[in-house]
């Protein structure tokens, strides 16, 4: 009975977190984080008090309140009360000391965060903001940003996304169907790589590329004879 109740608690918690939506911990706002902490405490409370029904009730209430506030934060009438605006900490290459104090970042920390973004000095940046979830957004000056095709009046062709046809030794049949092909065609595509459909289990990943060919990655690396180019850290064989 105790094991069943424990499983019920985990099931309730899992369902509620799924309903509340997907968001990485690093992307959570202060509100998101406190709701998750309260929800976790509420779900685990029956471990001590054994009041599963009450804990489930409060967990559902917390999740519903979270969903309501999340929806209201998308409404312009309530957004200004529920959503924190980005804080500017660098403007036109100049550090905004007031903004730094507001978000609690020292100049040394700022320089470290900018290095993580690939910049060595605030002077390279037109705007740096700290977003609501705590991440840093950097917009460089026009002469510091990467060159774009539009700078040369070039229009690149659309990006082609490789289509997985084998993942972890299993054929992805719905992608074959998307390509309007069958296993017979796929078997022919595998032949140049010295594989047949019977060897699918040995293939980690096979993708259909822009040239209409297969890129195949197997469980046995093919580059063992490349000497120093085959180096990898650690003591693995």
């Amino acid at each position: 009975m105790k094991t069943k109740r424990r499983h019920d608690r985990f099931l309730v918690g899992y369902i509620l977190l799924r309903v509340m939506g997907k968001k990485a911990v690093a992307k959570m706002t202060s509100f998101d984080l406190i709701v998750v902490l309260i929800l976790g405490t509420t779900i685990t409370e029956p471990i001590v008090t054994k009041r599963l029904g009450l804990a489930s009730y409060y967990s559902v209430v917390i999740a519903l309140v979270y969903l309501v506030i999340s929806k209201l934060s998308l409404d312009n009438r309530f957004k200004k009360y529920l959503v924190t605006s980005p804080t500017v900490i660098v403007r036109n290459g100049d550090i905004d000391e007031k903004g730094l104090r507001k978000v609690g970042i020292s100049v040394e920390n700022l320089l470290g965060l900018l290095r993580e973004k690939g910049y060595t000095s605030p002077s390279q940046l037109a705007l740096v903001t700290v977003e609501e979830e705590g991440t840093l957004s950097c917009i460089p000056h026009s002469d510091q940003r990467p060159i774009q095709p539009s700078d040369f009046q070039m229009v690149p062709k659309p990006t082609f996304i490789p289509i997985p046809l084998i993942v972890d030794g299993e054929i992805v049949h719905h992608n074959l169907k998307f390509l309007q092909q069958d296993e017979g065609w796929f078997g022919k595509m595998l032949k140049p790589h010295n594989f047949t459909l019977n060897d699918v289990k040995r293939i980690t990943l096979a993708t259909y590329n822009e040239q209409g060919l297969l890129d195949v990655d197997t469980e046995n690396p093919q580059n063992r004879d490349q000497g120093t180019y085959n180096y990898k850290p650690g003591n693995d064989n």
Side-chain angles (χ1 to χ4, degrees), residues 87-91 94-105 107 130:
T87 302
V88 176
I89 57 176
V90 174
R91 193 191 307 271
D94 183 51
I95 296 175
D96 188 322
E97 289 79 6
K98 183 178 179 180
L100 282 183
R101 288 193 296 270
K102 182 177 179 180
V103 295
I105 296 178
V107 174
V130 177

Side-chain angles (χ1 to χ4, degrees), residues 92-136:
N92 293 325
D94 183 51
I95 296 175
D96 188 322
E97 289 79 6
K98 183 178 179 180
L100 282 183
R101 288 193 296 270
K102 182 177 179 180
V103 295
I105 296 178
S106 67
V107 174
E108 291 81 0
N109 288 339
L110 171 63
L111 295 176
L113 292 170
L114 294 182
R115 287 193 293 271
E116 290 179 2
K117 295 288 187 177
Y119 300 103
T120 58
S121 171
S123 61
Q124 297 174 278
L125 299 158
L127 186 70
V128 179
T129 61
V130 177
E131 305 298 338
E132 184 183 15
E133 67 272 13
T135 57
L136 206 68

Side-chain angles (χ1 to χ4, degrees), residues 119 124 139-151:
Y119 300 103
Q124 297 174 278
I139 300 177
H141 288 298
S142 58
D143 61 343
Q144 296 292 330
R145 65 176 176 82
I147 295 176
Q148 305 294 323
S150 58
D151 295 332

